[in-house]
Short mmCIF file of all heavy atoms in Angstrom, two decimals:
data_model
loop_
_atom_site.label_atom_id
_atom_site.label_comp_id
_atom_site.label_asym_id
_atom_site.label_seq_id
_atom_site.Cartn_x
_atom_site.Cartn_y
_atom_site.Cartn_z
N ASP A 225 116.85 97.33 89.92
CA ASP A 225 116.57 96.20 90.82
C ASP A 225 115.15 95.67 90.62
O ASP A 225 114.87 94.50 90.87
CB ASP A 225 116.75 96.62 92.28
CG ASP A 225 118.22 96.84 92.63
OD1 ASP A 225 119.09 96.43 91.82
OD2 ASP A 225 118.50 97.45 93.67
N LEU A 226 114.24 96.57 90.23
CA LEU A 226 112.84 96.17 90.06
C LEU A 226 112.52 95.84 88.60
O LEU A 226 111.35 95.64 88.25
CB LEU A 226 111.92 97.30 90.56
CG LEU A 226 111.92 97.53 92.06
CD1 LEU A 226 111.21 98.83 92.41
CD2 LEU A 226 111.27 96.37 92.81
N MET A 249 109.31 107.67 95.78
CA MET A 249 109.85 106.93 96.93
C MET A 249 111.27 107.38 97.26
O MET A 249 111.61 107.61 98.43
CB MET A 249 109.83 105.42 96.63
CG MET A 249 108.44 104.83 96.58
SD MET A 249 108.41 103.01 96.71
CE MET A 249 109.17 102.54 95.17
N GLY A 253 110.95 110.43 99.65
CA GLY A 253 111.03 109.55 100.81
C GLY A 253 112.46 109.41 101.32
O GLY A 253 112.91 110.16 102.18
N LYS A 257 114.21 112.37 103.61
CA LYS A 257 114.17 112.14 105.06
C LYS A 257 115.56 111.83 105.64
O LYS A 257 115.84 112.17 106.79
CB LYS A 257 113.18 111.02 105.41
CG LYS A 257 111.75 111.30 104.96
CD LYS A 257 111.27 112.72 105.25
CE LYS A 257 109.99 113.06 104.50
NZ LYS A 257 109.76 114.53 104.44
N VAL A 260 117.12 115.26 106.04
CA VAL A 260 116.51 116.02 107.15
C VAL A 260 116.94 115.44 108.50
O VAL A 260 117.27 116.18 109.43
CB VAL A 260 114.97 116.06 107.02
CG1 VAL A 260 114.34 116.72 108.24
CG2 VAL A 260 114.57 116.84 105.76
N ALA A 261 116.99 114.10 108.61
CA ALA A 261 117.43 113.47 109.87
C ALA A 261 118.86 113.90 110.20
O ALA A 261 119.18 114.21 111.35
CB ALA A 261 117.33 111.95 109.78
N GLN A 264 118.84 117.56 111.30
CA GLN A 264 118.32 117.69 112.68
C GLN A 264 119.41 117.31 113.69
O GLN A 264 119.51 117.94 114.75
CB GLN A 264 117.09 116.78 112.87
CG GLN A 264 115.82 117.29 112.19
CD GLN A 264 115.17 118.48 112.89
OE1 GLN A 264 115.55 118.86 113.99
NE2 GLN A 264 114.18 119.07 112.24
N SER A 265 120.22 116.31 113.36
CA SER A 265 121.28 115.89 114.30
C SER A 265 122.42 116.91 114.35
O SER A 265 123.27 116.85 115.23
CB SER A 265 121.82 114.51 113.90
OG SER A 265 122.68 114.63 112.78
N ASN A 269 117.20 122.96 112.21
CA ASN A 269 115.79 122.55 112.26
C ASN A 269 115.18 122.52 110.86
O ASN A 269 114.49 123.44 110.43
CB ASN A 269 115.00 123.46 113.20
CG ASN A 269 113.58 122.94 113.42
OD1 ASN A 269 113.27 121.77 113.11
ND2 ASN A 269 112.71 123.78 113.94
N ALA A 270 115.46 121.43 110.16
CA ALA A 270 115.02 121.27 108.78
C ALA A 270 113.62 120.66 108.70
O ALA A 270 113.18 119.97 109.62
CB ALA A 270 116.01 120.37 108.04
N GLY A 272 111.44 118.57 105.67
CA GLY A 272 111.46 118.01 104.31
C GLY A 272 110.12 118.23 103.64
O GLY A 272 109.08 117.93 104.21
N SER A 274 107.97 118.15 99.70
CA SER A 274 107.91 118.07 98.25
C SER A 274 106.95 119.18 97.82
O SER A 274 106.33 119.84 98.67
CB SER A 274 107.42 116.69 97.81
OG SER A 274 106.07 116.56 98.11
N VAL A 276 104.10 119.25 96.75
CA VAL A 276 102.70 119.06 97.13
C VAL A 276 102.42 119.53 98.56
O VAL A 276 101.29 119.90 98.89
CB VAL A 276 102.36 117.55 96.94
CG1 VAL A 276 103.00 116.69 97.99
CG2 VAL A 276 100.88 117.33 96.89
N ASP A 277 103.43 119.53 99.40
CA ASP A 277 103.25 119.82 100.83
C ASP A 277 103.02 121.31 101.05
O ASP A 277 103.88 122.13 100.72
CB ASP A 277 104.46 119.34 101.62
CG ASP A 277 104.65 117.83 101.50
OD1 ASP A 277 103.66 117.11 101.70
OD2 ASP A 277 105.77 117.39 101.18
N GLY A 278 101.88 121.64 101.63
CA GLY A 278 101.51 123.04 101.79
C GLY A 278 101.36 123.73 100.44
O GLY A 278 101.44 124.94 100.34
N ASN A 279 101.21 122.90 99.41
CA ASN A 279 101.05 123.41 98.02
C ASN A 279 102.20 124.34 97.63
O ASN A 279 101.99 125.34 96.96
CB ASN A 279 99.70 124.14 97.90
CG ASN A 279 99.29 124.39 96.46
OD1 ASN A 279 99.77 123.72 95.54
ND2 ASN A 279 98.45 125.38 96.25
N PHE A 306 104.21 130.64 102.25
CA PHE A 306 104.42 129.57 103.21
C PHE A 306 105.92 129.33 103.43
O PHE A 306 106.37 129.16 104.58
CB PHE A 306 103.73 128.28 102.75
CG PHE A 306 103.82 127.16 103.73
CD1 PHE A 306 103.46 127.34 105.06
CD2 PHE A 306 104.29 125.91 103.34
CE1 PHE A 306 103.55 126.29 105.97
CE2 PHE A 306 104.39 124.86 104.25
CZ PHE A 306 104.02 125.05 105.57
N ILE A 315 112.96 127.84 110.48
CA ILE A 315 112.89 126.47 109.97
C ILE A 315 113.52 126.44 108.57
O ILE A 315 113.38 127.39 107.80
CB ILE A 315 111.42 125.99 109.94
CG1 ILE A 315 110.86 126.00 111.38
CG2 ILE A 315 111.30 124.60 109.32
CD1 ILE A 315 109.37 125.77 111.46
N GLY A 326 97.77 119.91 91.15
CA GLY A 326 96.55 120.43 91.78
C GLY A 326 95.32 119.58 91.50
O GLY A 326 94.24 119.84 92.01
N LYS A 327 95.51 118.56 90.65
CA LYS A 327 94.39 117.66 90.34
C LYS A 327 94.62 116.28 90.95
O LYS A 327 94.01 115.29 90.54
CB LYS A 327 94.23 117.53 88.81
CG LYS A 327 93.89 118.83 88.11
CD LYS A 327 94.04 118.65 86.60
CE LYS A 327 94.30 119.97 85.89
NZ LYS A 327 95.07 119.80 84.64
N GLY A 328 95.56 116.19 91.87
CA GLY A 328 95.82 114.93 92.55
C GLY A 328 96.98 114.12 91.98
O GLY A 328 97.28 113.04 92.48
N ASP B 239 109.49 92.17 96.07
CA ASP B 239 110.01 92.42 94.71
C ASP B 239 111.53 92.59 94.72
O ASP B 239 112.20 92.32 93.73
CB ASP B 239 109.38 93.69 94.11
CG ASP B 239 107.90 93.49 93.78
OD1 ASP B 239 107.45 92.32 93.74
OD2 ASP B 239 107.20 94.49 93.55
N LEU B 240 112.06 93.09 95.84
CA LEU B 240 113.51 93.32 95.93
C LEU B 240 114.23 92.15 96.61
O LEU B 240 115.42 92.25 96.92
CB LEU B 240 113.78 94.63 96.69
CG LEU B 240 113.35 95.91 95.96
CD1 LEU B 240 113.40 97.10 96.90
CD2 LEU B 240 114.24 96.17 94.74
N MET B 263 110.87 104.82 102.09
CA MET B 263 110.45 105.12 100.72
C MET B 263 108.93 105.04 100.57
O MET B 263 108.31 105.92 99.99
CB MET B 263 111.12 104.15 99.74
CG MET B 263 112.62 104.38 99.60
SD MET B 263 113.33 103.60 98.13
CE MET B 263 113.17 101.88 98.54
N GLY B 267 107.50 108.51 101.56
CA GLY B 267 107.54 108.94 100.16
C GLY B 267 106.23 108.69 99.46
O GLY B 267 105.34 109.55 99.44
N LYS B 271 102.99 111.24 100.02
CA LYS B 271 102.83 112.26 98.96
C LYS B 271 101.59 112.00 98.11
O LYS B 271 100.96 112.93 97.63
CB LYS B 271 104.09 112.36 98.10
CG LYS B 271 105.35 112.73 98.88
CD LYS B 271 105.14 113.84 99.91
CE LYS B 271 106.29 113.93 100.90
NZ LYS B 271 105.93 114.71 102.11
N ALA B 275 98.79 114.83 97.77
CA ALA B 275 98.39 115.33 96.44
C ALA B 275 96.88 115.22 96.27
O ALA B 275 96.23 116.14 95.77
CB ALA B 275 99.11 114.55 95.34
N GLN B 278 95.20 117.88 98.44
CA GLN B 278 95.32 119.21 97.83
C GLN B 278 94.29 119.39 96.71
O GLN B 278 93.74 120.47 96.54
CB GLN B 278 96.75 119.41 97.27
CG GLN B 278 97.82 119.64 98.34
CD GLN B 278 97.78 121.04 98.96
OE1 GLN B 278 97.05 121.91 98.53
NE2 GLN B 278 98.56 121.22 100.02
N SER B 279 94.04 118.31 95.96
CA SER B 279 93.07 118.41 94.85
C SER B 279 91.64 118.49 95.37
O SER B 279 90.72 118.81 94.62
CB SER B 279 93.22 117.21 93.91
OG SER B 279 92.63 116.06 94.47
N ASN B 283 94.32 121.91 102.41
CA ASN B 283 95.73 122.31 102.36
C ASN B 283 96.58 121.46 103.30
O ASN B 283 96.93 121.85 104.41
CB ASN B 283 95.89 123.79 102.68
CG ASN B 283 97.32 124.28 102.41
OD1 ASN B 283 98.10 123.59 101.76
ND2 ASN B 283 97.65 125.44 102.92
N ALA B 284 96.91 120.27 102.82
CA ALA B 284 97.66 119.29 103.62
C ALA B 284 99.16 119.50 103.48
O ALA B 284 99.65 120.04 102.49
CB ALA B 284 97.30 117.89 103.17
N GLY B 286 102.58 116.99 104.15
CA GLY B 286 103.07 115.66 104.52
C GLY B 286 104.31 115.77 105.38
O GLY B 286 105.25 116.47 105.02
N SER B 288 107.08 113.57 108.11
CA SER B 288 107.47 112.43 108.93
C SER B 288 107.96 113.03 110.25
O SER B 288 108.08 114.25 110.38
CB SER B 288 108.55 111.61 108.25
OG SER B 288 109.76 112.31 108.25
N VAL B 290 110.70 113.38 111.54
CA VAL B 290 111.95 114.12 111.45
C VAL B 290 111.71 115.57 111.02
O VAL B 290 112.50 116.46 111.35
CB VAL B 290 112.91 113.38 110.48
CG1 VAL B 290 112.45 113.51 109.05
CG2 VAL B 290 114.33 113.81 110.64
N ASP B 291 110.63 115.82 110.29
CA ASP B 291 110.37 117.14 109.71
C ASP B 291 109.94 118.14 110.77
O ASP B 291 108.93 117.94 111.44
CB ASP B 291 109.32 117.02 108.60
CG ASP B 291 109.79 116.12 107.48
OD1 ASP B 291 110.92 116.31 107.00
OD2 ASP B 291 109.04 115.20 107.09
N GLY B 292 110.72 119.20 110.92
CA GLY B 292 110.45 120.17 111.98
C GLY B 292 110.58 119.51 113.34
O GLY B 292 110.06 120.01 114.33
N ASN B 293 111.28 118.39 113.37
CA ASN B 293 111.50 117.62 114.61
C ASN B 293 110.19 117.33 115.32
O ASN B 293 110.11 117.38 116.55
CB ASN B 293 112.45 118.41 115.53
CG ASN B 293 112.99 117.58 116.67
OD1 ASN B 293 113.02 116.35 116.60
ND2 ASN B 293 113.41 118.25 117.73
N PHE B 320 104.90 123.19 117.02
CA PHE B 320 104.95 123.32 115.56
C PHE B 320 103.66 122.79 114.93
O PHE B 320 103.10 123.41 114.02
CB PHE B 320 106.19 122.60 115.00
CG PHE B 320 106.35 122.77 113.52
CD1 PHE B 320 106.32 124.02 112.93
CD2 PHE B 320 106.51 121.67 112.70
CE1 PHE B 320 106.45 124.18 111.55
CE2 PHE B 320 106.65 121.81 111.32
CZ PHE B 320 106.61 123.07 110.75
N ILE B 329 96.51 124.67 108.10
CA ILE B 329 97.23 123.63 107.37
C ILE B 329 96.96 122.28 108.05
O ILE B 329 96.88 122.21 109.28
CB ILE B 329 98.73 123.95 107.32
CG1 ILE B 329 98.93 125.29 106.58
CG2 ILE B 329 99.52 122.84 106.64
CD1 ILE B 329 100.33 125.84 106.65
N GLY B 340 117.26 111.90 116.70
CA GLY B 340 118.01 113.13 116.98
C GLY B 340 119.50 112.98 116.75
O GLY B 340 120.26 113.95 116.86
N LYS B 341 119.91 111.75 116.43
CA LYS B 341 121.34 111.50 116.15
C LYS B 341 121.55 111.19 114.67
O LYS B 341 122.58 110.64 114.28
CB LYS B 341 121.84 110.32 117.00
CG LYS B 341 121.76 110.56 118.50
CD LYS B 341 122.01 109.24 119.24
CE LYS B 341 121.41 109.26 120.63
NZ LYS B 341 121.07 107.89 121.10
N GLY B 342 120.55 111.49 113.87
CA GLY B 342 120.69 111.29 112.43
C GLY B 342 120.09 110.00 111.91
O GLY B 342 120.17 109.73 110.71
#
Side-chain angles (χ1 to χ4, degrees):
Chain A
D225 289 346
L226 291 168
M249 290 197 292
K257 301 316 166 197
V260 174
Q264 287 285 352
S265 77
N269 188 15
S274 71
V276 72
D277 299 311
N279 194 21
F306 184 52
I315 299 171
K327 298 169 204 152
Chain B
D239 290 345
L240 292 168
M263 291 197 291
K271 301 317 165 196
Q278 286 286 352
S279 77
N283 189 15
S288 71
V290 72
D291 299 311
N293 193 22
F320 184 52
I329 299 171
K341 298 169 203 153

